[in-house]
Amino acid sequence: MEVLAVCHVHSKWSYDGSWSLEMLSAKFSRRGYRVLMMTEHDRGFTAARLLEYREACAQASSAEILVVPGIEYSDAANRVHILVWGDVPFLGEGLCTNEMLEGVKAANGVAVLAHPSRRNAWTCFEPHWAGQLLGIEVWNRKYDGWAPSQTSPALLQKSSAIPFVGLDFHTHRQSFPLAMALELQPEVTEETVLQCLRSRRCYARAFGVPLSQNLFRTALPVLGAAEQGRRTLASIARYSRGLTR
């Protein structure tokens, strides 16, 4: 059974989130997603808060959509970010990435490198991370925009990580047709989702098309041009607003 998961989503449990878990589950359920993979920022979390959060995710789940709790860990420089899912105890704020990944591995969690292009985080990549990362975000809607990351392909070649896509959803502006297709059997539960990820029975989709398909690859130049145009228009709009103030 194949289901779609929306990944890298923040709620009001994150310091910069604006949507409740219930609002998010309703929104993405309407859009055809069966799994909502949350990733709240580590800032302000504690072991006790993580337990409360896991319960809140369970309550926000329904027969239509499963809400999977997760944490986005940041290093002390707020440069390297790692998305973590699984029965992993809260590891702390501002940990060095090496220590954090060791903790995830010890708890049999799942780790994905987030938005490698943000603040040139890809330049911090260390070779021994390769065996500890399930995936690397090749397309992050918030930071990459309408086209995939230009820095992630080189990192994928250095590791056995699989391509991941995520919205980095904070507001409706990050809505975009990106999804991870999961091959689950037989039920949709947090454990079957984690088993699916660990066994790599999953692949990235954009606009309903697997990223590996030639159809998508031929569209990359168009997407790149569209993203450049979007950024240009956004810069003009910000400049115009500055003139009118």
Side-chain angles (χ1 to χ4, degrees):
M1 174 179 63
E2 182 181 282
V3 301
L4 296 182
V6 57
C7 304
H8 199 162
V9 180
H10 295 271
S11 75
K12 289 182 177 180
W13 284 77
S14 287
Y15 69 88
D16 57 356
S18 58
W19 291 54
S20 69
L21 289 170
E22 290 74 18
M23 291 170 61
L24 289 167
S25 62
K27 170 187 174 64
F28 288 110
S29 177
R30 290 193 300 270
R31 292 180 175 238
Y33 293 97
R34 184 64 180 83
V35 180
L36 172 56
M37 301 195 68
M38 303 299 302
T39 49
E40 310 294 0
H41 291 296
D42 57 4
R43 187 195 300 182
F45 260 83
T46 62
R49 183 171 170 79
L50 179 57
L51 291 176
E52 294 174 6
Y53 175 65
R54 292 189 63 86
E55 178 59 30
C57 287
Q59 293 181 5
S61 298
S62 67
E64 288 72 39
I65 190 165
L66 172 71
V67 182
V68 178
I71 297 291
E72 179 175 3
Y73 286 95
S74 309
D75 63 4
N78 191 27
R79 194 172 181 186
V80 177
H81 289 201
I82 305 291
L83 312 176
V84 172
W85 295 284
D87 189 17
V88 180
F90 184 65
L91 301 173
E93 293 185 43
L95 296 177
C96 74
T97 303
N98 293 332
E99 178 184 351
M100 188 274 303
L101 286 174
E102 287 294 336
V104 174
K105 181 179 179 180
N108 197 28
V110 170
V112 171
L113 176 65
H115 40 60
S117 297
R118 175 188 175 273
R119 299 183 63 182
N120 289 324
W122 65 274
T123 62
C124 301
F125 191 88
E126 298 185 16
H128 61 272
W129 296 356
Q132 298 171 303
L133 291 170
L134 167 73
I136 294 173
E137 276 191 336
V138 299
W139 198 337
N140 176 288
R141 169 59 186 89
K142 183 178 180 183
Y143 290 102
D144 298 323
W146 293 355
S149 166
Q150 296 183 10
T151 60
S152 58
L155 297 183
L156 287 172
Q157 292 178 358
K158 296 178 181 178
S159 72
S160 60
I162 62 175
F164 239 75
V165 291
L167 298 185
D168 208 346
F169 186 95
H170 292 77
T171 74
H172 67 88
R173 291 192 300 274
Q174 282 92 46
S175 296
F176 204 67
L178 296 175
M180 293 299 296
L182 310 179
E183 296 177 4
L184 298 183
Q185 50 184 343
E187 301 177 276
V188 182
T189 66
E190 181 177 357
E191 185 52 38
T192 61
V193 167
L194 292 171
Q195 288 176 357
C196 173
L197 294 174
R198 294 186 190 109
S199 61
R200 299 168 177 249
R201 299 193 313 272
C202 55
Y203 57 88
R205 279 186 177 181
F207 304 98
V209 179
L211 295 190
S212 58
Q213 284 193 4
N214 289 333
L215 175 63
F216 179 79
R217 291 174 182 170
T218 59
L220 285 178
V222 176
L223 292 170
E227 171 58 14
Q228 186 59 48
R230 183 190 73 84
R231 289 178 183 265
T232 300
L233 290 174
S235 297
I236 293 172
R238 287 193 294 269
Y239 178 72
S240 299
R241 286 197 296 270
L243 291 178
T244 58
R245 288 177 181 173

